[in-house]
Amino acid sequence: MVNNVAVPVSDVSYNAQRNPIVEKSFGHATEPEIYGGGVVYTGSFGGAYRPGNNGWQTVIKQFMGGNQAANVETFAPDSVIPIKVSDEFDNTFEFGSCAITSIEINCNVNDYTKITANWIGTFASYSTNNPCSSAEYTAPISVFYNTKIGNMKVKSLRLRLERPFDQQNFIIGSEYLQDLVQNDNVTISGSFTVSPTDYDLFKSIYLTGDPLSKTPSNANKNQIIVDGATIEFRNPEGTSTIGTIVISKFALTDGDASANGRNQFEKTINFKVPVDNKTRKCSFTFGS
């Protein structure tokens, strides 16, 4: 559960890392004393991406700093939430003052769209009589052949949203006085693997001009900004649209090509989503 809303997931993990304080002294073969130090909680959860599910919409909004608008704000205020995990025996760990640090959405051929969220927290409690509510799995998912990514011919698309936080901000006076501090802006990046027959976007990365005269061409003057794409998710039957992601612009950052024997000529392009410095918003929106 994220902020008391059940999220449908297929995998979950969480980790508690203790940072012991060790006394090192002369005259001892080993450290004479080891004391308990601060604790860092991290975790992740993910599953099929259900654009119409309220649980995943809650996760995305919390990542955006609780902003209810469609656009992702790069300077969103810090937002902390509770995250609760239960097992089949109703043993429940609840982590308090958590922040979503990254969200990754993956579209691949021969698969359904997947989403994974990573988080960091500061406190934890345990109970045996307060299990998570059952998540709603009836919202449809989108499989690869009913997912449209603009006019791009790609075999896979990875979209990563990051909101970096310092691991912990410990304060002298108590092991429990700790807080989360956002240490950078929201960034959106990703990569896509181009179809073996499609070279248009790949040429945008590689072509710069005439290699003989060593002069730039009119068409390629180190221009890395290209039009983005509208990712349209449709239900498994292909009868209705269940969600969209609109990326207005791509900043193409690097391209990689490889071929092995008689296999396909693989071409992968990495990108970042640029930010409008006036509106302080990325050219990126979620839609339902």
Side-chain angles (χ1 to χ4, degrees):
M1 294 182 66
V2 179
N3 204 18
N4 297 318
V5 177
V7 179
V9 299
S10 58
D11 55 87
V12 63
S13 65
Y14 48 91
N15 172 265
Q17 178 184 349
R18 305 294 302 202
N19 294 314
I21 299 172
V22 179
E23 179 189 2
K24 296 179 180 292
S25 303
F26 290 111
H28 290 271
T30 61
E31 288 84 1
E33 295 290 348
I34 299 177
Y35 304 92
V39 59
V40 175
Y41 299 106
T42 58
S44 67
F45 54 91
Y49 179 46
R50 290 176 161 84
N53 176 266
N54 183 55
W56 276 113
Q57 293 298 328
T58 298
V59 172
I60 293 169
K61 288 178 180 179
Q62 292 299 334
F63 167 83
M64 296 190 298
N67 177 27
Q68 301 300 310
N71 291 57
V72 176
E73 293 190 3
T74 56
F75 294 93
D78 292 350
S79 178
V80 293
I81 54 175
I83 293 179
K84 187 163 64 174
V85 182
S86 299
D87 63 15
E88 64 271 28
F89 304 108
D90 290 342
N91 296 303
T92 302
F93 282 91
E94 183 167 353
F95 301 90
S97 299
C98 300
I100 304 295
T101 58
S102 68
I103 295 175
E104 186 166 301
I105 298 174
N106 283 280
C107 304
N108 291 282
V109 295
N110 297 327
D111 206 349
Y112 56 84
T113 303
K114 297 177 180 178
I115 183 170
T116 301
N118 294 290
W119 57 270
I120 181 173
T122 58
F123 302 101
S125 61
Y126 172 77
S127 64
T128 57
N129 56 3
N130 187 27
C132 295
S133 302
S134 298
E136 179 57 67
Y137 283 85
T138 59
I141 64 176
S142 183
V143 293
F144 83 99
Y145 52 83
N146 277 333
T147 299
K148 182 180 179 182
I149 305 174
N151 295 321
M152 299 167 56
K153 297 178 181 179
V154 299
K155 299 171 59 179
S156 66
L157 174 73
R158 179 182 64 89
L159 193 61
R160 183 172 179 83
L161 300 80
E162 293 182 280
R163 192 173 183 220
F165 282 83
D166 283 328
Q167 283 288 75
Q168 298 287 351
N169 177 32
F170 293 106
I171 302 169
I172 290 178
S174 169
E175 62 179 309
Y176 302 111
L177 285 177
Q178 49 185 312
D179 201 359
L180 297 177
V181 178
Q182 186 177 358
N183 58 15
D184 204 347
N185 299 330
V186 171
T187 59
I188 303 175
S189 61
S191 65
F192 51 87
T193 303
V194 183
S195 166
T197 60
D198 193 354
Y199 280 83
D200 288 341
L201 285 173
F202 199 68
K203 289 189 294 185
S204 298
I205 287 283
Y206 276 86
L207 300 185
T208 56
D210 187 348
L212 297 180
S213 62
K214 298 181 180 179
T215 58
S217 68
N218 291 330
N220 295 281
K221 293 184 177 180
N222 200 28
Q223 179 65 34
I224 65 172
I225 305 296
V226 300
D227 291 337
T230 296
I231 308 172
E232 183 180 354
F233 303 100
R234 296 180 64 80
N235 62 350
E237 297 78 20
T239 56
S240 63
T241 298
I242 58 177
T244 59
I245 297 176
V246 180
I247 306 174
S248 300
K249 297 178 182 178
F250 284 143
L252 305 181
T253 57
D254 58 275
D256 178 74
S258 63
N260 183 10
R262 294 177 179 269
N263 291 329
Q264 293 179 341
F265 192 67
E266 295 288 352
K267 304 181 292 297
T268 300
I269 298 175
N270 295 328
F271 65 87
K272 289 184 178 293
V273 177
V275 176
D276 187 319
N277 214 20
K278 293 182 179 180
T279 63
R280 294 185 175 184
K281 290 186 178 182
C282 300
S283 57
F284 175 93
T285 58
F286 279 98
S288 58

